[in-house]
Amino acid sequence: MRRIVVLSGGIGGARFLRGLRQAAPEADITVIGNTGDDIHLFGLKVCPDLDTVMYTLGGGIHEEQGWGRAGETFAVKEELAAYGIEPQWFGLGDRDLATHVVRTQMMGAGYPLSAVTEALCQRWQPGVRLLPMTDDRVETHVVIDDGDGGRRAVHFQEYWVRLRAAPEAHAVVPVGADKATPAPGVLEAIQAADVVVFPPSNPVVSVGTILSVPGIREAIADAGVPVIGLSPIVGDAPVRGMADRVLAAVGVRATAAAVAQHYGSGLLDGWLVDTVDADAVEVVEADGIRCRAVPLMMTDVEAAAAMAGEALALAREVRPA
Ligand code: FO1
């Protein structure tokens, strides 16, 4: 299991990757990062899920939050607020802003997001190859009620951060995904992989968005390598975040078994559920997906490393390389 590909989004994916790097120090890890959370603010392009991986693995993350930079200050945010500039609900720190300035400047000079991400990682040295799922613009929007009996779409970040996922999500739409192409190296990494991992990221807005880029789901399904997922739902609730709100939008119950069924046996060869969901094992196995119950709470790097080790063990079990 030397070549490992991980589809990652959000805090759970980044924390899992830190454990995987410890569990498999000799592996070549390629991360396909979700870019559907990207948002353009104050003329800057912000890539939350790429930055969370880069900062978490590069040692710059704000550990408790799981996003943004450690030791952050908000002088620029305060000054923007003093000018009455909107939005004020998205907390961009001064250190984090530098990342977005560099990214926006390089993209303005014609570099694709994948080249920009590689350049930013030169500083952070995350110890993995971080690829955006696509170089094309994809932004997830969420359809909610508009209060007048109609519906409207809001940007994912507004739904997630300003609205705290309180309104019912009627639909989750990765705008632009249908016209997007996988970023350079994405399909090649999948085809060369010894194992593909779906970490405990949000199955709809993170892993689901990556799979919505034409060609990626097919490449994974056809690669003939073990695909192992780890449930982001423990004890019928998301470990963190509000995945249940967007799971409902796609008609998936917030249970460890339902998420595995959502991905399907056409994609998944193996699925890890937490020990509290041991009764899900036989349900998932009945769907043709090998399943094991192991501790899935990433309380620290060691716990994440143990989970990663279990995922690699299951990969070896489902399809001896
Ligand atoms: N999440 C919040 O809950 N509040 C914020 O103010 C916020 C700001 C922010 C700035 C940069 C960044 O990269 C991420 C930020 N996030 C914030 C987290 C972000 O919404 C999530 O990390 C992902 O989009 C969902 O995985």
Side-chain angles (χ1 to χ4, degrees), residues 52-222:
T52 285
V53 171
M54 189 171 74
Y55 292 156
T56 299
L57 297 183
I61 196 72
H62 182 300
E63 192 58 40
E64 295 68 45
Q65 281 176 180
W67 53 266
R69 287 279 283 106
E72 195 53 287
T73 53
F74 292 92
V76 174
K77 184 175 187 302
E78 288 155 17
E79 289 300 303
L80 287 167
Y83 282 115
I85 301 291
E86 289 299 333
Q88 299 182 23
W89 44 264
F90 197 74
L92 278 180
D94 299 327
R95 294 179 180 279
D96 193 33
L97 274 167
T99 299
H100 315 316
V101 168
V102 173
R103 176 183 294 119
T104 307
Q105 182 175 306
M106 286 187 71
M107 292 186 77
Y111 291 94
L113 181 57
S114 47
V116 173
T117 305
E118 189 174 358
L120 292 170
C121 286
Q122 286 303 317
R123 170 190 173 189
W124 291 102
Q125 296 295 307
V128 302
R129 190 167 163 231
L130 176 56
L131 303 175
M133 65 188 196
T134 177
D135 280 336
D136 301 313
R137 182 166 177 175
V138 176
E139 293 190 8
T140 299
H141 282 63
V142 181
V143 177
I144 60 175
D145 292 327
D146 65 3
D148 300 333
R151 288 182 174 178
R152 69 187 179 99
V154 292
H155 187 284
F156 170 74
Q157 293 298 348
E158 180 172 2
Y159 179 72
W160 202 250
V161 176
R162 189 173 76 81
L163 301 172
R164 307 306 302 161
E168 182 187 358
H170 297 300
V172 175
V173 185
V175 177
D178 51 330
K179 298 182 187 59
T181 57
V186 165
L187 297 183
E188 294 81 354
I190 293 167
Q191 281 141 13
D194 296 311
V195 57
V196 175
V197 179
F198 294 2
S201 294
N202 188 308
V204 178
V205 295
S206 291
V207 178
T209 304
I210 298 167
L211 293 173
S212 75
V213 175
I216 292 183
R217 174 189 293 270
E218 298 78 0
I220 293 170
D222 301 344

Side-chain angles (χ1 to χ4, degrees), residues 200-203 230-245 247 252-259 274 276-277 296-297:
S201 294
N202 188 308
L230 296 95
S231 178
I233 301 291
V234 170
D236 297 352
V239 172
R240 183 190 173 106
M242 302 158 273
D244 49 328
R245 304 296 290 163
L247 279 166
V252 177
R253 288 173 46 246
T255 69
V259 174
D274 188 86
V276 302
D277 296 307
L296 286 189
M297 297 306 284

